[in-house]
Amino acid sequence: MDSTDDPIVAMWQRRWQRERNARKQAEVILEEKALELFEASKLLKKNNENLEQIVDARTKAFEKSQRRLEAFIRNLQYGIMLENENRKLVLTNMAFCDIFSIPLTPEDLIGIDCVAALEDVKYLFTEADEFVERVGDLLAKRELVLGDELSTIDGRILERNYVPIFFDDNYIGHCWQYRDVTQIKLAQEQIKLSEEKYRGVIENMELGILEVDNDGNTVRAHKRFCEMVGYTEAEVLGKHAASLFIAPVSKTVFDQQVEIRNKGGASTYEVQMLRKDGSLMWAVISGAPIFNTKKEIVGSMGIHLDISERKKLESELKQAKIIAENAQRAEKDFLANMSHEIRTPLNAIIGMAHLLYDTRPNKQQIEYLDILKNASSILHRLISDILDIAKIEAGRVEIQNKPFDLIGLVRTLQKTFQMRAKEKNLEIECMVDARIENWVEGDELLLNQILLNLLGNSLKFTEKGHIGISLRLLKRENKQITIEFKVYDSGIGISPEKLPLIFQKFKQLDNNKQQKYRGTGLGLAIVKELIELQNGTIKAESDLNNGTTITFQLNYTDCGKPEINHLPAPTHISEIQTAQSLRQLKVLVVEDNEMNQQYIKGLFQKWNIAFNIAENGSEALKKAQEQNFDLLLMDLEMPIMDGYNAAIAIRNTENINTNTPIVALTASALLDQKHKALEAGMNGFLTKPFSPQQLKELLIKHLPVIADNIQEEYNSPTFEFSEQLDTNSLNIFYDTDIEHACEMFETFLESVLPEFTDLYTYAETKNYEKLYKIAHKLKPTVAMVGLTWIEPMLFTIEQACRDKKTDSEQTIKQNIQNINQEINTFQPILQKEYKRLKKFCKKYKP
Amino acid sequence: MKGLVFSEFLELVEQMYGYEMVDKIIENAHLPSSGSYTSVGTYSHLEMFELLTNLSKEVSISVDDLLRLYGNWFFDVLMNGHKRHLNNLTNSFDLLYAIEDHIHVEVKKLYPEAELPSFETTIINPTHLKMIYSSERKMWALAWGLMEGCFKHYKEKAAITYHFLVSDGSKVQFDIHLLA
């Protein structure tokens, strides 16, 4: 039916068509929607599956986490009880059951009512009601509370935390955490006790502790420190400690400590500190850095000890020490000075005694002189000993190592003592190991002193038998040798109980038997000191009544004979003579008497003979070792070393003058002196006073070649001195040397005479020191112009100045007056004599 | 525009004027859909205006009045079709207030392609509601009719006044005063 003419039908057809179209559209949409729905469903299903997987995984993870949490809680040291908001127990652990002694497992407890349970457990606590009340309080407030401490009736201490649990601001329960802290508490208590103990100890030890930070600001000041400085802790906290407490004088010391501290070092030092009241205090501070747990320095701690008292004492002690030392030094100085002071006049005595030998004494006078000489030399030795020990104690003895003739030294001593021992009829034995060379390097003087002392002792204590000295080579290493010295005797010996005392100072073995042996008791002590000073050892063996042996060892260096820059010693007589004729002759004059020196000097100058002068034997020995002489004129009596000893030494030691003739100048013509001189190795003697002619003859006898030189002087004219003067002494002095006499008279008149007025001046002002000196000075001059008798007057003045006796002043006055008188009388005579001398010289000696 | 608006419109035209009138306004129009509408389909709103214009000519009633009339009728259709969703809305103001933020949101979920007007609703006081209609479709009269349908449904009385905020009717303010 394509179309119709009926409009109604057509409309209905259109309507039907529209409805059908609409239905078809709807069907299409429906189909699309169904498809969409299917796809959506499929997607949904897939999503669902994914979702399920995710949920599954999350559930598993959650379970795992829960298990972990449960295990964690179960094993926690804390007793845990988790309650929900309805106070039903959700979770607990074994620790909880243990703490409260619940005989159930944690699982059994899940779900129980905690309100009821509280009533059961409250009796476990010492304060049950307070416990319940506190729980109620915590639950009401729902605020985190940590560290509640609870005591149980069985003596434990529990620590409890209350932790309310919220979820999205909603309260969903809470957790109780209990912990048994009994042990910790006990430990803490003990630590506290221990801390208190040490704090107590430190407080009681009076040690003030101060802690500062790295800027030096006070962090902590302990009680005792505060007491020390007078501040309260609050006053010093945060303040710079050094500025507050360190006195300005100690700033430098303190700053050095800060340096040390910054490097991490500890140190102890003394400083002066300032108290609050401004007073000063001495403190010793032991400071150490403080480290934190990272080993960084965060400050330092100082332990202070108040040492003001000690410092005071120290300074007093120092003062006392200074005083004591001063006193000791004064004492030593006094001793040294006194010894020296004693020695000076003693030397005068010895010197004078020796000079007296030259004054033609008779036999008895010589005996007296011998006693005087011996007594004074004993006194001299005593003083020397005291000085020596003082020198040793002061460490002023210097060892002077030089080559010396060791064997010569020993032989000289042997000879010297042989002579001294003669009167006792003793032999001095001497044995020297053949392996020992003559020349060694060491201290000759010290060895000489040691042996002199030991041999002197032996001689002193031995009356019969023998004395001996022996040398043995103990050891040789290259040039180093060790020599054992033995000095032995057959003397009185020492008892075994006294033996250990002999090397002690001032220990004389003073039993009655030994009264006759006198000394300082220092001899052996000095010997021991001198040996030890040279690193040697000494020992003594003795048999009472049978003798003593002293053995000591010393080290020396072996050395050849040193080169001496002089002509070698001639070996044959003919050679000597030839040599002498070819060169300038030289004589050594050994004489202590100044007048004699002048006398000989004058003659030798006149005869054109070269000479040297030695003041004593020791000087002579030294000179003899240095250069060759053709003749030695040797006075016998001299201080320091006499002529006998000098001759022995020259003859027995290796030197260039071993064979040089020595002529003794003796003051007496006594035969035993001459024998002694020959024994000592001298070749002849000349008795003083001697005339120029006598000296000439002697020279010619010993040195024939000299004769021509001096022969011509024989016929020179003579000068007659005025009879008013002491012609005898003038002739001895000047002999034919009138020129010399002229010079001496001139000097006396011009320079010496005016000085006599000084005598008067010093006597008036009572300046006896000066007076002594001037008298002493003038004394030898008067004899030179023939006023010999004034000499004793001057001597008396000298003596009076020293004596200072009540009548001294009178004596001095009287003598000065006498001297003045003499001088006044003789001045014109001297002037006249001087003019005559001048005239004579002009005439004969142009 | 959803097919339901067309099918219900033609249903109303048929009830009021018989199918001859429906046939006439369709036949006089040039419709891409040929006047066959299913409620689940979607059609151009221009077709609606053509049908309205044709009807307006036939029955001498203005297009806006026709839309207002249709709104009165259409509210009940919508209400009956979605009763279970709208159960909790117990008075007209609740419903009007819910249109923009709830009802249209739900409609969009069901029909993503639906083009809906927007309403800016303000409660001035418990008896005065202000609603501003905005739509390029300019079917403000349909909205008016729907509001009237709503009051009728809840058996409430209200005085609805309106004025154009934009002269072409794309933005219109309604003031609704609830009457005791």
PDB file of all heavy atoms in Angstrom, chain A residues 8 11-12 14-15 17-19 21-23 25-26 29 33, chain B residues 14 19-20 23 26-27 33-38 40-41 43:
ATOM      1  N   ILE A   8      -7.281  10.520   6.456  1.00  0.00           N
ATOM      2  CA  ILE A   8      -7.250   9.949   7.803  1.00  0.00           C
ATOM      3  C   ILE A   8      -6.332   8.735   7.803  1.00  0.00           C
ATOM      4  O   ILE A   8      -5.471   8.593   8.666  1.00  0.00           O
ATOM      5  CB  ILE A   8      -8.688   9.544   8.272  1.00  0.00           C
ATOM      6  CG1 ILE A   8      -9.600  10.754   8.281  1.00  0.00           C
ATOM      7  CG2 ILE A   8      -8.638   8.844   9.662  1.00  0.00           C
ATOM      8  CD1 ILE A   8      -9.337  11.872   9.253  1.00  0.00           C
ATOM      9  N   MET A  11      -2.925   9.810   7.484  1.00  0.00           N
ATOM     10  CA  MET A  11      -2.371  10.299   8.749  1.00  0.00           C
ATOM     11  C   MET A  11      -2.027   9.140   9.660  1.00  0.00           C
ATOM     12  O   MET A  11      -0.977   9.104  10.310  1.00  0.00           O
ATOM     13  CB  MET A  11      -3.404  11.231   9.430  1.00  0.00           C
ATOM     14  CG  MET A  11      -2.823  11.913  10.638  1.00  0.00           C
ATOM     15  SD  MET A  11      -4.107  12.716  11.647  1.00  0.00           S
ATOM     16  CE  MET A  11      -4.896  11.309  12.402  1.00  0.00           C
ATOM     17  N   TRP A  12      -2.907   8.195   9.735  1.00  0.00           N
ATOM     18  CA  TRP A  12      -2.655   7.015  10.582  1.00  0.00           C
ATOM     19  C   TRP A  12      -1.453   6.206  10.095  1.00  0.00           C
ATOM     20  O   TRP A  12      -0.657   5.720  10.889  1.00  0.00           O
ATOM     21  CB  TRP A  12      -3.895   6.109  10.688  1.00  0.00           C
ATOM     22  CG  TRP A  12      -4.884   6.678  11.717  1.00  0.00           C
ATOM     23  CD1 TRP A  12      -6.061   7.228  11.445  1.00  0.00           C
ATOM     24  CD2 TRP A  12      -4.667   6.699  13.099  1.00  0.00           C
ATOM     25  NE1 TRP A  12      -6.700   7.645  12.583  1.00  0.00           N
ATOM     26  CE2 TRP A  12      -5.801   7.337  13.653  1.00  0.00           C
ATOM     27  CE3 TRP A  12      -3.641   6.302  13.966  1.00  0.00           C
ATOM     28  CZ2 TRP A  12      -5.967   7.548  15.011  1.00  0.00           C
ATOM     29  CZ3 TRP A  12      -3.871   6.539  15.301  1.00  0.00           C
ATOM     30  CH2 TRP A  12      -4.962   7.152  15.839  1.00  0.00           C
ATOM     31  N   ARG A  14       1.011   7.603   8.582  1.00  0.00           N
ATOM     32  CA  ARG A  14       2.183   8.395   9.005  1.00  0.00           C
ATOM     33  C   ARG A  14       2.504   8.184  10.480  1.00  0.00           C
ATOM     34  O   ARG A  14       3.637   8.037  10.898  1.00  0.00           O
ATOM     35  CB  ARG A  14       1.908   9.888   8.751  1.00  0.00           C
ATOM     36  CG  ARG A  14       2.072  10.302   7.308  1.00  0.00           C
ATOM     37  CD  ARG A  14       2.211  11.800   7.148  1.00  0.00           C
ATOM     38  NE  ARG A  14       1.070  12.575   7.594  1.00  0.00           N
ATOM     39  CZ  ARG A  14      -0.008  12.805   6.842  1.00  0.00           C
ATOM     40  NH1 ARG A  14      -0.098  12.347   5.615  1.00  0.00           N
ATOM     41  NH2 ARG A  14      -0.996  13.545   7.357  1.00  0.00           N
ATOM     42  N   ARG A  15       1.342   8.140  11.256  1.00  0.00           N
ATOM     43  CA  ARG A  15       1.565   7.947  12.689  1.00  0.00           C
ATOM     44  C   ARG A  15       2.232   6.609  12.963  1.00  0.00           C
ATOM     45  O   ARG A  15       3.181   6.505  13.755  1.00  0.00           O
ATOM     46  CB  ARG A  15       0.212   8.019  13.418  1.00  0.00           C
ATOM     47  CG  ARG A  15       0.423   7.871  14.926  1.00  0.00           C
ATOM     48  CD  ARG A  15      -0.837   8.097  15.701  1.00  0.00           C
ATOM     49  NE  ARG A  15      -0.526   8.086  17.151  1.00  0.00           N
ATOM     50  CZ  ARG A  15      -1.359   8.456  18.087  1.00  0.00           C
ATOM     51  NH1 ARG A  15      -2.598   8.897  17.744  1.00  0.00           N
ATOM     52  NH2 ARG A  15      -1.013   8.417  19.369  1.00  0.00           N
ATOM     53  N   GLN A  17       3.926   4.930  10.910  1.00  0.00           N
ATOM     54  CA  GLN A  17       5.327   4.995  10.436  1.00  0.00           C
ATOM     55  C   GLN A  17       6.235   5.663  11.474  1.00  0.00           C
ATOM     56  O   GLN A  17       7.336   5.226  11.790  1.00  0.00           O
ATOM     57  CB  GLN A  17       5.399   5.780   9.110  1.00  0.00           C
ATOM     58  CG  GLN A  17       6.734   5.619   8.389  1.00  0.00           C
ATOM     59  CD  GLN A  17       7.100   4.170   8.039  1.00  0.00           C
ATOM     60  OE1 GLN A  17       6.215   3.412   7.537  1.00  0.00           O
ATOM     61  NE2 GLN A  17       8.319   3.750   8.333  1.00  0.00           N
ATOM     62  N   ARG A  18       5.704   6.776  12.109  1.00  0.00           N
ATOM     63  CA  ARG A  18       6.503   7.528  13.104  1.00  0.00           C
ATOM     64  C   ARG A  18       6.812   6.664  14.356  1.00  0.00           C
ATOM     65  O   ARG A  18       7.920   6.631  14.876  1.00  0.00           O
ATOM     66  CB  ARG A  18       5.751   8.799  13.577  1.00  0.00           C
ATOM     67  CG  ARG A  18       5.831   9.911  12.532  1.00  0.00           C
ATOM     68  CD  ARG A  18       5.111  11.178  13.004  1.00  0.00           C
ATOM     69  NE  ARG A  18       4.823  12.039  11.852  1.00  0.00           N
ATOM     70  CZ  ARG A  18       3.598  12.418  11.448  1.00  0.00           C
ATOM     71  NH1 ARG A  18       2.510  12.021  12.123  1.00  0.00           N
ATOM     72  NH2 ARG A  18       3.449  13.217  10.393  1.00  0.00           N
ATOM     73  N   GLU A  19       5.724   5.985  14.755  1.00  0.00           N
ATOM     74  CA  GLU A  19       5.878   5.131  15.964  1.00  0.00           C
ATOM     75  C   GLU A  19       6.926   4.048  15.695  1.00  0.00           C
ATOM     76  O   GLU A  19       7.750   3.738  16.544  1.00  0.00           O
ATOM     77  CB  GLU A  19       4.527   4.462  16.323  1.00  0.00           C
ATOM     78  CG  GLU A  19       3.450   5.412  16.781  1.00  0.00           C
ATOM     79  CD  GLU A  19       3.747   6.099  18.106  1.00  0.00           C
ATOM     80  OE1 GLU A  19       4.602   5.598  18.901  1.00  0.00           O
ATOM     81  OE2 GLU A  19       3.157   7.197  18.365  1.00  0.00           O
ATOM     82  N   ASN A  21       9.282   4.101  13.445  1.00  0.00           N
ATOM     83  CA  ASN A  21      10.631   4.697  13.401  1.00  0.00           C
ATOM     84  C   ASN A  21      11.184   4.916  14.798  1.00  0.00           C
ATOM     85  O   ASN A  21      12.344   4.629  15.093  1.00  0.00           O
ATOM     86  CB  ASN A  21      10.600   6.036  12.651  1.00  0.00           C
ATOM     87  CG  ASN A  21      10.501   5.832  11.126  1.00  0.00           C
ATOM     88  OD1 ASN A  21      10.671   4.703  10.628  1.00  0.00           O
ATOM     89  ND2 ASN A  21      10.213   6.897  10.414  1.00  0.00           N
ATOM     90  N   ALA A  22      10.269   5.446  15.632  1.00  0.00           N
ATOM     91  CA  ALA A  22      10.691   5.718  17.018  1.00  0.00           C
ATOM     92  C   ALA A  22      11.124   4.434  17.701  1.00  0.00           C
ATOM     93  O   ALA A  22      12.121   4.374  18.427  1.00  0.00           O
ATOM     94  CB  ALA A  22       9.541   6.384  17.798  1.00  0.00           C
ATOM     95  N   ARG A  23      10.301   3.363  17.489  1.00  0.00           N
ATOM     96  CA  ARG A  23      10.627   2.078  18.106  1.00  0.00           C
ATOM     97  C   ARG A  23      11.986   1.578  17.613  1.00  0.00           C
ATOM     98  O   ARG A  23      12.820   1.159  18.414  1.00  0.00           O
ATOM     99  CB  ARG A  23       9.530   1.049  17.755  1.00  0.00           C
ATOM    100  CG  ARG A  23       9.784  -0.322  18.406  1.00  0.00           C
ATOM    101  CD  ARG A  23       8.622  -1.257  18.185  1.00  0.00           C
ATOM    102  NE  ARG A  23       8.223  -1.389  16.800  1.00  0.00           N
ATOM    103  CZ  ARG A  23       8.799  -2.220  15.930  1.00  0.00           C
ATOM    104  NH1 ARG A  23       9.789  -2.972  16.289  1.00  0.00           N
ATOM    105  NH2 ARG A  23       8.373  -2.247  14.684  1.00  0.00           N
ATOM    106  N   GLN A  25      14.390   3.383  16.380  1.00  0.00           N
ATOM    107  CA  GLN A  25      15.461   4.211  17.002  1.00  0.00           C
ATOM    108  C   GLN A  25      15.760   3.721  18.404  1.00  0.00           C
ATOM    109  O   GLN A  25      16.907   3.556  18.827  1.00  0.00           O
ATOM    110  CB  GLN A  25      15.000   5.673  17.108  1.00  0.00           C
ATOM    111  CG  GLN A  25      15.195   6.473  15.846  1.00  0.00           C
ATOM    112  CD  GLN A  25      14.654   7.900  16.036  1.00  0.00           C
ATOM    113  OE1 GLN A  25      14.853   8.512  17.077  1.00  0.00           O
ATOM    114  NE2 GLN A  25      13.929   8.414  15.024  1.00  0.00           N
ATOM    115  N   ALA A  26      14.617   3.455  19.124  1.00  0.00           N
ATOM    116  CA  ALA A  26      14.759   3.011  20.519  1.00  0.00           C
ATOM    117  C   ALA A  26      15.503   1.694  20.582  1.00  0.00           C
ATOM    118  O   ALA A  26      16.372   1.482  21.437  1.00  0.00           O
ATOM    119  CB  ALA A  26      13.391   2.893  21.184  1.00  0.00           C
ATOM    120  N   ILE A  29      19.138   2.222  20.000  1.00  0.00           N
ATOM    121  CA  ILE A  29      19.740   2.800  21.216  1.00  0.00           C
ATOM    122  C   ILE A  29      19.908   1.730  22.277  1.00  0.00           C
ATOM    123  O   ILE A  29      20.942   1.598  22.938  1.00  0.00           O
ATOM    124  CB  ILE A  29      18.886   3.983  21.723  1.00  0.00           C
ATOM    125  CG1 ILE A  29      19.031   5.162  20.741  1.00  0.00           C
ATOM    126  CG2 ILE A  29      19.306   4.391  23.141  1.00  0.00           C
ATOM    127  CD1 ILE A  29      18.018   6.262  20.964  1.00  0.00           C
ATOM    128  N   LYS A  33      23.032   0.505  24.015  1.00  0.00           N
ATOM    129  CA  LYS A  33      23.150   0.574  25.483  1.00  0.00           C
ATOM    130  C   LYS A  33      23.499  -0.798  26.066  1.00  0.00           C
ATOM    131  O   LYS A  33      24.296  -0.898  27.026  1.00  0.00           O
ATOM    132  CB  LYS A  33      21.834   1.093  26.115  1.00  0.00           C
ATOM    133  CG  LYS A  33      21.585   2.549  25.840  1.00  0.00           C
ATOM    134  CD  LYS A  33      22.583   3.456  26.620  1.00  0.00           C
ATOM    135  CE  LYS A  33      22.482   4.896  26.102  1.00  0.00           C
ATOM    136  NZ  LYS A  33      23.561   5.724  26.605  1.00  0.00           N
TER     137      LYS A  33
ATOM    138  N   GLU B  14      -1.370  16.018  21.534  1.00  0.00           N
ATOM    139  CA  GLU B  14      -2.392  15.061  21.109  1.00  0.00           C
ATOM    140  C   GLU B  14      -3.565  15.103  22.095  1.00  0.00           C
ATOM    141  O   GLU B  14      -4.729  15.096  21.680  1.00  0.00           O
ATOM    142  CB  GLU B  14      -1.797  13.638  21.070  1.00  0.00           C
ATOM    143  CG  GLU B  14      -2.732  12.623  20.420  1.00  0.00           C
ATOM    144  CD  GLU B  14      -2.195  11.186  20.353  1.00  0.00           C
ATOM    145  OE1 GLU B  14      -0.966  11.016  20.624  1.00  0.00           O
ATOM    146  OE2 GLU B  14      -2.975  10.288  20.057  1.00  0.00           O
ATOM    147  N   TYR B  19      -4.504  13.997  17.518  1.00  0.00           N
ATOM    148  CA  TYR B  19      -3.306  13.613  16.742  1.00  0.00           C
ATOM    149  C   TYR B  19      -3.193  14.375  15.447  1.00  0.00           C
ATOM    150  O   TYR B  19      -2.113  14.565  14.915  1.00  0.00           O
ATOM    151  CB  TYR B  19      -3.280  12.087  16.512  1.00  0.00           C
ATOM    152  CG  TYR B  19      -1.896  11.670  16.029  1.00  0.00           C
ATOM    153  CD1 TYR B  19      -0.864  11.539  16.978  1.00  0.00           C
ATOM    154  CD2 TYR B  19      -1.632  11.485  14.654  1.00  0.00           C
ATOM    155  CE1 TYR B  19       0.383  11.221  16.534  1.00  0.00           C
ATOM    156  CE2 TYR B  19      -0.353  11.160  14.225  1.00  0.00           C
ATOM    157  CZ  TYR B  19       0.683  11.023  15.196  1.00  0.00           C
ATOM    158  OH  TYR B  19       1.937  10.749  14.764  1.00  0.00           O
ATOM    159  N   GLU B  20      -4.446  14.897  14.953  1.00  0.00           N
ATOM    160  CA  GLU B  20      -4.396  15.659  13.693  1.00  0.00           C
ATOM    161  C   GLU B  20      -3.465  16.861  13.850  1.00  0.00           C
ATOM    162  O   GLU B  20      -2.718  17.191  12.936  1.00  0.00           O
ATOM    163  CB  GLU B  20      -5.824  16.179  13.318  1.00  0.00           C
ATOM    164  CG  GLU B  20      -6.734  15.080  12.822  1.00  0.00           C
ATOM    165  CD  GLU B  20      -7.405  14.293  13.947  1.00  0.00           C
ATOM    166  OE1 GLU B  20      -7.083  14.578  15.130  1.00  0.00           O
ATOM    167  OE2 GLU B  20      -8.209  13.388  13.648  1.00  0.00           O
ATOM    168  N   ASP B  23       0.116  15.671  13.847  1.00  0.00           N
ATOM    169  CA  ASP B  23       0.495  15.361  12.459  1.00  0.00           C
ATOM    170  C   ASP B  23       0.763  16.636  11.681  1.00  0.00           C
ATOM    171  O   ASP B  23       1.721  16.718  10.927  1.00  0.00           O
ATOM    172  CB  ASP B  23      -0.640  14.517  11.820  1.00  0.00           C
ATOM    173  CG  ASP B  23      -0.232  14.024  10.418  1.00  0.00           C
ATOM    174  OD1 ASP B  23       0.875  13.366  10.343  1.00  0.00           O
ATOM    175  OD2 ASP B  23      -0.908  14.344   9.455  1.00  0.00           O
ATOM    176  N   ILE B  26       4.008  18.473  12.616  1.00  0.00           N
ATOM    177  CA  ILE B  26       5.174  17.703  12.133  1.00  0.00           C
ATOM    178  C   ILE B  26       5.302  17.851  10.626  1.00  0.00           C
ATOM    179  O   ILE B  26       6.388  18.119  10.105  1.00  0.00           O
ATOM    180  CB  ILE B  26       5.057  16.211  12.513  1.00  0.00           C
ATOM    181  CG1 ILE B  26       5.238  16.036  14.028  1.00  0.00           C
ATOM    182  CG2 ILE B  26       6.134  15.352  11.796  1.00  0.00           C
ATOM    183  CD1 ILE B  26       4.861  14.640  14.548  1.00  0.00           C
ATOM    184  N   GLU B  27       4.144  17.701   9.970  1.00  0.00           N
ATOM    185  CA  GLU B  27       4.156  17.714   8.497  1.00  0.00           C
ATOM    186  C   GLU B  27       4.579  19.085   7.996  1.00  0.00           C
ATOM    187  O   GLU B  27       5.215  19.191   6.958  1.00  0.00           O
ATOM    188  CB  GLU B  27       2.746  17.335   7.961  1.00  0.00           C
ATOM    189  CG  GLU B  27       2.442  15.853   8.073  1.00  0.00           C
ATOM    190  CD  GLU B  27       3.453  14.941   7.341  1.00  0.00           C
ATOM    191  OE1 GLU B  27       3.653  15.093   6.124  1.00  0.00           O
ATOM    192  OE2 GLU B  27       4.110  14.099   8.052  1.00  0.00           O
ATOM    193  N   SER B  33      14.512  14.447  12.105  1.00  0.00           N
ATOM    194  CA  SER B  33      14.086  13.170  12.683  1.00  0.00           C
ATOM    195  C   SER B  33      12.773  12.681  12.066  1.00  0.00           C
ATOM    196  O   SER B  33      12.256  11.644  12.456  1.00  0.00           O
ATOM    197  CB  SER B  33      13.912  13.363  14.192  1.00  0.00           C
ATOM    198  OG  SER B  33      12.835  14.247  14.445  1.00  0.00           O
ATOM    199  N   SER B  34      12.151  13.466  11.186  1.00  0.00           N
ATOM    200  CA  SER B  34      10.860  13.176  10.557  1.00  0.00           C
ATOM    201  C   SER B  34       9.752  13.049  11.607  1.00  0.00           C
ATOM    202  O   SER B  34       8.709  12.459  11.360  1.00  0.00           O
ATOM    203  CB  SER B  34      10.930  11.860   9.738  1.00  0.00           C
ATOM    204  OG  SER B  34      12.034  11.852   8.901  1.00  0.00           O
ATOM    205  N   GLY B  35      10.003  13.577  12.825  1.00  0.00           N
ATOM    206  CA  GLY B  35       8.956  13.584  13.858  1.00  0.00           C
ATOM    207  C   GLY B  35       8.829  12.280  14.589  1.00  0.00           C
ATOM    208  O   GLY B  35       7.877  12.072  15.347  1.00  0.00           O
ATOM    209  N   SER B  36       9.776  11.366  14.359  1.00  0.00           N
ATOM    210  CA  SER B  36       9.736  10.126  15.128  1.00  0.00           C
ATOM    211  C   SER B  36      10.669  10.279  16.335  1.00  0.00           C
ATOM    212  O   SER B  36      11.881  10.410  16.193  1.00  0.00           O
ATOM    213  CB  SER B  36      10.243   8.960  14.256  1.00  0.00           C
ATOM    214  OG  SER B  36       9.443   8.855  13.113  1.00  0.00           O
ATOM    215  N   TYR B  37      10.086  10.302  17.571  1.00  0.00           N
ATOM    216  CA  TYR B  37      10.906  10.522  18.771  1.00  0.00           C
ATOM    217  C   TYR B  37      10.759   9.374  19.771  1.00  0.00           C
ATOM    218  O   TYR B  37       9.658   8.948  20.040  1.00  0.00           O
ATOM    219  CB  TYR B  37      10.528  11.829  19.493  1.00  0.00           C
ATOM    220  CG  TYR B  37      10.660  13.067  18.603  1.00  0.00           C
ATOM    221  CD1 TYR B  37       9.542  13.705  18.075  1.00  0.00           C
ATOM    222  CD2 TYR B  37      11.938  13.572  18.316  1.00  0.00           C
ATOM    223  CE1 TYR B  37       9.666  14.825  17.272  1.00  0.00           C
ATOM    224  CE2 TYR B  37      12.048  14.679  17.508  1.00  0.00           C
ATOM    225  CZ  TYR B  37      10.937  15.318  16.992  1.00  0.00           C
ATOM    226  OH  TYR B  37      11.064  16.398  16.190  1.00  0.00           O
ATOM    227  N   THR B  38      11.907   8.866  20.219  1.00  0.00           N
ATOM    228  CA  THR B  38      11.853   7.918  21.337  1.00  0.00           C
ATOM    229  C   THR B  38      12.479   8.606  22.559  1.00  0.00           C
ATOM    230  O   THR B  38      13.424   9.379  22.428  1.00  0.00           O
ATOM    231  CB  THR B  38      12.591   6.600  21.016  1.00  0.00           C
ATOM    232  OG1 THR B  38      12.756   5.870  22.234  1.00  0.00           O
ATOM    233  CG2 THR B  38      13.990   6.819  20.434  1.00  0.00           C
ATOM    234  N   VAL B  40      14.340   7.806  24.846  1.00  0.00           N
ATOM    235  CA  VAL B  40      15.759   7.563  25.176  1.00  0.00           C
ATOM    236  C   VAL B  40      16.721   8.173  24.177  1.00  0.00           C
ATOM    237  O   VAL B  40      17.912   8.173  24.379  1.00  0.00           O
ATOM    238  CB  VAL B  40      16.046   6.061  25.343  1.00  0.00           C
ATOM    239  CG1 VAL B  40      15.283   5.503  26.534  1.00  0.00           C
ATOM    240  CG2 VAL B  40      15.725   5.317  24.059  1.00  0.00           C
ATOM    241  N   GLY B  41      16.099   8.720  23.053  1.00  0.00           N
ATOM    242  CA  GLY B  41      16.995   9.290  22.040  1.00  0.00           C
ATOM    243  C   GLY B  41      17.326  10.747  22.336  1.00  0.00           C
ATOM    244  O   GLY B  41      16.845  11.318  23.308  1.00  0.00           O
ATOM    245  N   TYR B  43      17.750  14.709  20.338  1.00  0.00           N
ATOM    246  CA  TYR B  43      17.452  15.428  19.090  1.00  0.00           C
ATOM    247  C   TYR B  43      17.786  16.880  19.257  1.00  0.00           C
ATOM    248  O   TYR B  43      17.898  17.408  20.363  1.00  0.00           O
ATOM    249  CB  TYR B  43      15.961  15.251  18.737  1.00  0.00           C
ATOM    250  CG  TYR B  43      15.540  13.776  18.764  1.00  0.00           C
ATOM    251  CD1 TYR B  43      15.000  13.226  19.902  1.00  0.00           C
ATOM    252  CD2 TYR B  43      15.732  12.974  17.626  1.00  0.00           C
ATOM    253  CE1 TYR B  43      14.638  11.888  19.941  1.00  0.00           C
ATOM    254  CE2 TYR B  43      15.382  11.624  17.667  1.00  0.00           C
ATOM    255  CZ  TYR B  43      14.836  11.081  18.823  1.00  0.00           C
ATOM    256  OH  TYR B  43      14.492   9.793  18.891  1.00  0.00           O
TER     257      TYR B  43
END
